[in-house]
Amino acid sequence: MNDILTRTLTTCPYCGVGCGICASETAKGVTVAGDSTHPANFGRLCVKGSALAQTLGDKGRLLVPQLNGENCDWPTAINAVAEGLQQIIAQHGAGAVAMYLSGQLLTEDYYVANKLMKGFIGSPHVDTNSRLCMASTVAGHKRAFGADVVPGCYNDIEQARLFVLVGANMAWNHPVLFGRIQAVIQANDDARLVVIDPRRSASCEAAQLHLKLRPGSDVLLFNGLLSFLAEQGKLDHRFINLHTEGFASALASAQQQASTVELVATGCDLPVEQILQFYRWFTEQPLSLTLFSQGVNQAIDGTDKVNAIINCHLATGRIGKAGSGPFSLTGQPNAMGGREVGGLANQLAAHIDYSDKTQQALVGEFWQAPNLVQQPGFKAVELFDAIERGEVKAVWIVATNPVVSMPQADRVKAALARCPLVIVSDMYQNTDTLAFATIKLPALGWSEKDGTVTNSERCISRQRALLPAPGQAKADWQIICDVARAMGFSQGFNFSSAAQIFAEHAALSGYKNKGQRAFNISALANLSAAQYQQLNPVQWPVTEDRLQGTARLFADGEFFTASGKAQFVAVYQRTLSLPSAATPLLLNSGRLRDQWHTMTRTGRAVSLMQHYSEPFVTLHPADAALYGIAAGDFVQLSNASGQMLVRAEISDSQRSGETFVPMHWSAQFASQARADVLFAAHTDPISGQPALKLSQVALRRMSPDWQILLFTREPLSPEQQAVFSQHYLARMPLANCQSYRVGLMAGLDPMQLVQQLQFIPGVTCRDSRHDALTGYRAAAVENKQLQWVLFAGTDLVEVDPLWLNQQFSASFSTDNHLQLLSGRADQSGAIDNSALICSCFSVRSKAICRAIANGADSTAKLGKLLQCGTNCGSCLPELNQLLRQQLSLTSEGA
Ligand code: SF4
């Protein structure tokens, strides 16, 4: 403990829980722990947050600006951006330039980007990847409350007794908050968790009820709940009469489609008893929180789903009260901050949109903006369509990876390839999107940035720098201000610190705000630099009469609508599209426990890559049988938009006829596993959010001629990786090398592969047992260092990856080549390559099952024996699942 050089309180850069982190720098490097004082996590971190220190370091970073593939200095890069934009504006107008931003940005970065485009350049085309994540909630909130406001706070969790999770696998995607829910359930006999999800996710392990409903039928389910509440006489008529409008039409619409539980059961494809159970629990328990996320938002009727949920809370008066309310869980660390500054194309700034000309004018007045935009711009899908059409000719992409994350990702790729000016600010040197950049701008990342973020409960926290800038990387706000000044907009962009930008942002929020606008942090507008540096987490609004912030809104029944009343919205369940003969399976996508977005950061953490090392599709056993597919087989998924080549996972967590793929893999980690190529660009007509939870695919089993494990000292170059474009390839970084799992589909054998990869010459060892029919093993050593080793067979060769990884760290003698080519330390020793369950202590399923067989019958006992689950606790749902499965096997056998 004595050797700590600095200790910095900051926040996690991953999910919208927004956990506080205490980062310590010692002579040995940085370590991270949960900040025990932060109100989001009180010291806890999940597996991703705990592994943050593994993601640090300059390796793989973009350290110098680049222009047309050549390194350049900052003045050259900034002038190239400014002149490039100015030329296009001069020829085609300001509407020909656009920015595409990210919920990873800090609020200060977001603020200047939005100000530059919407106030000074005069282009409304600023959108953000939050469009893919939260836009339906924004639209639903605005329809119901008149403002984009999450009514409650995290402390409601401890006061609630019924938790309804809709389209939210919190156990994996908001783990620390889920831990708080689990604690309430364990401590209170009357507390219950209901999970509404077409998949049996890890969150179901803690649930008393799982409604495995037909995908997309959520509106019907909640319309049924509204009808049921009315029928049972459980409406809060006083609240409805005093504080809401539109109830009669919302109820009529609900009753039209969902007048009986039987009708709901048929539409949702659920047993009547399960629906009744949920409805009774909700009816009886006023302390009910409904938490929702991407499963609600990412749909063609995402906004209606949000309002169907809010309708039930308004009808019971369960809003603005401790322990109850609808609760949107943001996906990203600063999705909320982006919404506050106006980062979405249909917002202007500071919660002012384009619907009120008087409010709009205030923004122009405050900014003294020469070119204030008057109309909304292109939302994300529209933006890339406009780039494809050639209407937008310059796009500046900041801190996001649309070539992986956008629907119809191959179309996005093609659109960027033909866009005359693509500027990309990023912290890494290789991403799928950077490959299309004319100008690359090196940006600071987490651990170097300084600013603020806002989490799911409206809590603004500081993200503080703990390390110096690597290379020539700069803060995004600095880069944007440099470009603004180079374009002649010195007046509005003379900021010299994030603190100054925050002060202006806070002042704008309060500018002539007489209570019409929910977002108001004007009490923070005069913070000194030192006060900004010390700023503690605080929930907005933060005004002179609420200096300590505001935990909960709407307690007084006053809303931000013109009438001051909340609005019921009449919503109807849309007809659900059915799979076609050509694409007979439904496809869902989502996140994994140990990965974040497109893996640019989490893919660097070796421990996080062990949980799921390869891209996969989950199939129901009946579908697997129908297609003749076994676990681990190679499977091609395809539709008119694109195709994926992944491994099969078989589980009855899926409904029959439905499949699931993770959304994380990019071309940096796999040859054909970008999930979003399979999702058409269908969007919610109100929010513009793409429907990334529902597509349709055909499925085909693929049989590789050769299965190869390849370990290389350095990652394959993009050119080398291109050799595998028609084959299966998945990369798994290890501490000292890269490991690749390859399936050669046809037309290439391992010998040709080595040639095509142009691997370094050297001492190449061939296995004396070499047999062209069944196997081939080879390696190369140069300067006593192992460069690569390859194991090929018609079946997969079993090797010990951890032992092989060690061979890359030591001086290597070719005398040892036979042992190297055996792939393991000891031929007789067993290798455990089973699924990694606990990333913190590298505990695999085989060891856990052995411990259960030997009598460990609880997570506590497993933790004592193997340590699993004793650090961050993110694996506890999987431990419970293994316990349940193994113990039921034992009792069946008894
Ligand atoms: S729950 Fe995990 S990923 Fe989310 S903010 Fe906390 S530590 Fe980070």
Side-chain angles (χ1 to χ4, degrees), residues 12-19 21 41 44-50 52 173-177 596:
C12 176
Y14 296 125
C15 83
V17 177
C19 294
I21 281 182
N41 56 318
R44 285 197 62 192
L45 292 179
C46 78
V47 65
K48 291 186 284 289
S50 300
L52 267 167
N173 302 324
H174 300 88
V176 167
L177 272 194
W596 177 255

Side-chain angles (χ1 to χ4, degrees), residues 782-795:
E782 191 178 57
N783 299 329
K784 295 196 171 175
Q785 293 212 306
L786 179 60
Q787 300 301 317
W788 56 265
V789 56
L790 173 150
F791 305 85
T794 47
D795 292 322

Side-chain angles (χ1 to χ4, degrees), residues 190-237:
D190 61 339
R192 294 187 178 101
L193 170 64
V194 178
V195 175
I196 298 170
D197 196 316
R199 290 194 307 144
R200 193 181 66 238
S201 68
S203 302
C204 296
E205 286 304 316
Q208 282 67 46
L209 179 63
H210 173 207
L211 300 185
K212 204 173 180 181
L213 79 177
R214 175 174 285 144
S217 61
D218 314 61
V219 169
L220 184 65
L221 184 70
F222 281 90
N223 268 349
L225 176 57
L226 188 62
S227 300
F228 185 83
L229 288 163
E231 183 196 299
Q232 299 290 310
K234 296 292 183 184
L235 300 170
D236 184 339
H237 289 289

Side-chain angles (χ1 to χ4, degrees), residues 32 92 113 173 296 340 346 348 374-375 388 478 495 511 793 831 848 882:
V32 301
H92 306 284
N173 302 324
V296 166
E340 290 156 14
N346 49 324
L348 183 52
Q374 300 298 322
Q375 300 292 335
E388 185 182 48
Q478 284 176 308
F495 299 108
Y511 188 64
I831 302 170
I848 295 166
L882 278 176

